[in-house]
Amino acid sequence: MIVIDWGTSSFRAFRIAIDGAILDRRSAPRGIMHVEGGRFAETLRDHIGDWLKAGENRVLLSGMIGSRQGWKEAPYVPCPAGAAELGAALVDIPFEGAQGNVQVKLVPGMNGVDASGIAEVMRGEETQIIGALAAMGGNGLACLPGTHSKWVRVAGGRIARFTSHMTGEAFGALRDHTILGRMMKDGAPSDAAFDAGVARSAEPGGLLHHLFGVRTQTLFGKLAETGGASYLSGILIGHELRAELGGAQGETVHLIGAPELVALYARAIAASGAKAVSHDADASVRGLVIIGEHAQWS
Amino acid sequence: MIVIDWGTSSFRAFRIAIDGAILDRRSAPRGIMHVEGGRFAETLRDHIGDWLKAGENRVLLSGMIGSRQGWKEAPYVPCPAGAAELGAALVDIPFEGAQGNVQVKLVPGMNGVDASGIAEVMRGEETQIIGALAAMGGNGLACLPGTHSKWVRVAGGRIARFTSHMTGEAFGALRDHTILGRMMKDGAPSDAAFDAGVARSAEPGGLLHHLFGVRTQTLFGKLAETGGASYLSGILIGHELRAELGGAQGETVHLIGAPELVALYARAIAASGAKAVSHDADASVRGLVIIGEHAQWS
């Protein structure tokens, strides 16, 4: 089987053995926003054509490739759901292989509602969670930090509910398009400034007030200009954590994602008194393999 | 006397009679970021040269013209302070008038600290507050909404302390530089969407989570694409209000600023159970006149 984590900015393909082992892997900066004119089939042939020629005939995709801007829009599977529900809801994509018999299927995203009944959506993270389920013991709280961070409650081996935070994207917009960025200088990330930002998030006044303080702390020399980005990051991640962990300080948070970002979140979680466990970045591969085992291949 | 409210984007000049009445007014899009090469003296002559020729020889400026990016950087006056302290701390600017005897002075900004000891600064808003003091009875809570909103506690006719929120600038960055803006369509501001955003800000989950909901509410058709900007505005203003009014729901908020923005804040304050009084936009002119009366003119 071939499994592919195909997101907005990157394409990561894995050739998987019968026993689930990774035989080969490839990645390319060919996320859906870098594929022009809907040429997804061509992109697939370009990158894994030789695996198909070698006889692989099952391809499972997950991520934003299943969104409206992707190859084909896959309907969301509602919470609660696990690998069985996702595997039963795969979407077939017509694809002409070299030998005519390749099946390409798409893992659907999931939707739900938050505590106030407002809609939530994810695409790709559900697959990472499925891949981390065993390590989580089938229960607990997972956090997948990123552009749109996800906090996912897992119960009985299924995804029970989740919430999103626009932390990563807000960070980029505030750093690159407000006065805050004009006072920042490039430099190595600063742990001390990040920690100060996380601590700041616990003080009164709210996020919008804390943002203004990034400016004045630099203006009055309390914060080095090279530490501004780390301080801002700490404030935003701190606010995200406080919103999610307000009533659950004793809980363990399972972090899944890119190692640098997972390390930052682990640092902030430790500072706020909760516990964090970091999972490796191949959770999506394991998730795809597990979901693929629940699929109806012809 | 001539008084000038000279900010980042606009220049507003007023010719004032001995009794404080406004004799004439002029405005131009010549804020400090639109004046090239430090040509502030030339800009002044261009716009009020005829008033100077007619015999006016006292010019008082306030706003970002006193910042590092302005004509001359004026040190901050610390809280608490009122018209007397500001009038005693005016900064002289050398200026060659047509008849050689024009005095140009600059109102300094103010600084302070928030409840956690983090620095606060303002330039221009202190003058607006001085102008609104009489209408406020010398005591109370004022809000000056904008790019960087200010909440100012006034006591005994002086500015006691204040806090800032990056609400306006965050709104612009999020609307113009995140996925939220890509789902918005231009349209008339929507009161219903704004109210929904204000109500949303009271729900659990935090600001970063509420931002993501702007996307899903549009995605699932719960919010018209033309209402997205108003909904986002309501969420941000609602969070600002809740941070400031958390423990003071019974208090009256004195709103000072541009009429459209004051109307939005008044609407949000009413929805959150507090009372708002709106002041007119000429508060800065009155403030400049009052501070000018405390100045040492030669």
Side-chain angles (χ1 to χ4, degrees):
Chain A
M1 180 163 67
I2 296 167
V3 303
I4 304 178
D5 176 2
W6 202 339
T8 302
S9 52
S10 71
F11 169 100
R12 294 165 65 225
F14 304 82
R15 191 174 178 189
I16 307 293
I18 294 286
D19 66 356
I22 297 175
L23 297 174
D24 200 357
R25 60 169 75 203
R26 281 170 196 172
S27 66
R30 300 297 300 276
I32 63 164
M33 68 176 188
H34 304 301
V35 174
E36 282 176 21
R39 296 173 60 84
F40 298 105
E42 292 82 350
T43 303
L44 198 64
R45 280 193 202 95
D46 285 350
H47 289 89
I48 59 159
D50 57 334
W51 292 352
L52 297 174
K53 278 192 193 135
E56 297 290 352
N57 62 0
R58 293 177 177 181
V59 180
L60 187 59
L61 316 174
S62 81
M64 291 300 282
I65 188 69
S67 69
R68 201 169 302 175
Q69 294 76 39
W71 197 343
K72 185 170 181 180
E73 187 172 6
Y76 295 105
V77 169
C79 287
E85 288 86 351
L86 289 167
L90 299 182
V91 171
D92 288 306
I93 297 187
F95 178 80
E96 202 65 34
Q99 292 149 35
N101 61 342
V102 177
Q103 301 172 68
V104 177
K105 293 177 184 285
L106 199 60
V107 177
M110 284 183 62
N111 68 353
V113 292
D114 73 3
S116 309
I118 300 289
E120 281 290 350
V121 293
M122 62 182 172
R123 277 201 195 277
E125 293 92 348
E126 73 295 323
T127 301
Q128 292 177 273
I129 293 286
I130 298 299
L133 272 181
M136 291 177 65
N139 290 285
L141 180 63
C143 168
L144 297 86
T147 307
H148 300 158
S149 296
K150 305 290 178 189
W151 287 74
V152 184
R153 174 64 60 184
V154 171
R158 297 162 89 212
I159 294 170
R161 59 184 181 277
F162 63 97
T163 53
S164 309
H165 293 256
M166 242 179 75
T167 311
E169 195 170 10
F171 173 77
L174 292 166
R175 180 195 56 192
D176 298 339
H177 300 287
T178 71
I179 196 172
L180 301 185
R182 292 204 290 278
M183 306 187 70
M184 290 174 187
K185 285 189 179 153
D186 288 342
S190 161
D191 282 347
F194 178 78
D195 292 348
V198 173
R200 176 64 167 153
S201 74
E203 291 178 352
L207 175 54
L208 295 166
H209 171 58
H210 294 162
L211 292 179
F212 188 77
V214 180
R215 177 164 175 251
T216 55
Q217 290 290 81
T218 313
L219 200 61
F220 289 94
K222 303 286 175 68
L223 175 69
E225 287 171 330
T226 51
S230 291
Y231 183 65
L232 173 61
S233 169
I235 287 175
L236 291 169
I237 292 174
H239 273 277
E240 178 187 337
L241 293 184
R242 262 160 253 287
E244 287 293 337
L245 295 175
Q249 295 292 337
E251 182 140 19
T252 296
V253 180
H254 295 268
L255 288 165
I256 306 167
E260 315 77 46
L261 210 46
V262 160
L264 273 185
Y265 273 69
R267 192 173 177 91
I269 288 169
S272 66
K275 280 198 302 179
V277 174
S278 302
H279 295 261
D280 69 64
D282 276 345
S284 58
V285 185
R286 281 196 304 279
L288 277 159
V289 171
I290 295 166
I291 294 168
E293 288 165 358
H294 285 85
Q296 293 281 338
W297 302 100
S298 56
Chain B
M1 182 164 65
I2 296 166
V3 304
I4 303 178
D5 176 3
W6 202 339
T8 301
S9 53
S10 70
F11 169 99
R12 294 166 63 225
F14 304 82
R15 191 174 178 188
I16 307 293
I18 295 286
D19 67 356
I22 296 174
L23 297 174
D24 201 356
R25 61 169 75 204
R26 282 172 195 171
S27 67
R30 298 299 298 277
I32 64 164
M33 68 175 189
H34 304 301
V35 174
E36 281 175 22
R39 297 174 60 85
F40 298 105
E42 292 81 350
T43 303
L44 199 64
R45 280 193 202 94
D46 285 352
H47 289 89
I48 60 159
D50 58 332
W51 293 351
L52 297 174
K53 278 192 192 134
E56 297 290 351
N57 62 1
R58 294 176 175 180
V59 180
L60 188 58
L61 316 173
S62 81
M64 291 300 282
I65 187 68
S67 69
R68 201 171 300 176
Q69 293 76 37
W71 198 343
K72 185 172 181 178
E73 187 173 6
Y76 295 106
V77 169
C79 288
E85 289 86 352
L86 290 168
L90 299 182
V91 171
D92 289 305
I93 297 186
F95 179 80
E96 202 66 33
Q99 292 149 35
N101 61 344
V102 177
Q103 300 170 70
V104 177
K105 292 176 184 285
L106 202 57
V107 177
M110 284 183 63
N111 67 354
V113 292
D114 74 2
S116 310
I118 299 290
E120 280 289 350
V121 293
M122 61 181 171
R123 281 201 192 277
E125 293 92 347
E126 73 295 324
T127 302
Q128 292 177 274
I129 294 285
I130 299 298
L133 272 181
M136 290 176 67
N139 290 286
L141 179 64
C143 169
L144 297 85
T147 307
H148 301 159
S149 296
K150 305 292 179 187
W151 287 74
V152 184
R153 174 64 60 183
V154 172
R158 298 161 88 213
I159 293 169
R161 60 184 182 277
F162 64 97
T163 52
S164 308
H165 294 256
M166 242 178 76
T167 312
E169 197 170 10
F171 172 77
L174 293 165
R175 180 196 54 192
D176 298 339
H177 300 287
T178 70
I179 197 174
L180 300 186
R182 292 205 289 279
M183 305 187 70
M184 290 176 186
K185 286 191 178 151
D186 288 342
S190 160
D191 281 345
F194 178 79
D195 292 348
V198 172
R200 176 64 167 154
S201 74
E203 291 178 353
L207 175 54
L208 296 165
H209 170 58
H210 295 161
L211 292 180
F212 187 79
V214 179
R215 177 165 174 251
T216 54
Q217 290 290 82
T218 313
L219 201 60
F220 289 94
K222 301 288 175 67
L223 176 69
E225 288 172 329
T226 52
S230 291
Y231 183 66
L232 173 61
S233 169
I235 286 174
L236 291 168
I237 292 174
H239 273 276
E240 177 187 337
L241 293 183
R242 261 160 254 286
E244 287 293 337
L245 295 175
Q249 294 292 337
E251 183 142 19
T252 296
V253 180
H254 295 267
L255 287 166
I256 306 168
E260 316 74 47
L261 211 45
V262 160
L264 273 185
Y265 273 69
R267 190 173 178 92
I269 289 170
S272 67
K275 279 198 303 180
V277 174
S278 301
H279 294 262
D280 69 65
D282 277 344
S284 58
V285 186
R286 281 195 305 279
L288 277 160
V289 170
I290 294 167
I291 294 168
E293 288 166 358
H294 284 86
Q296 293 282 339
W297 302 98
S298 57

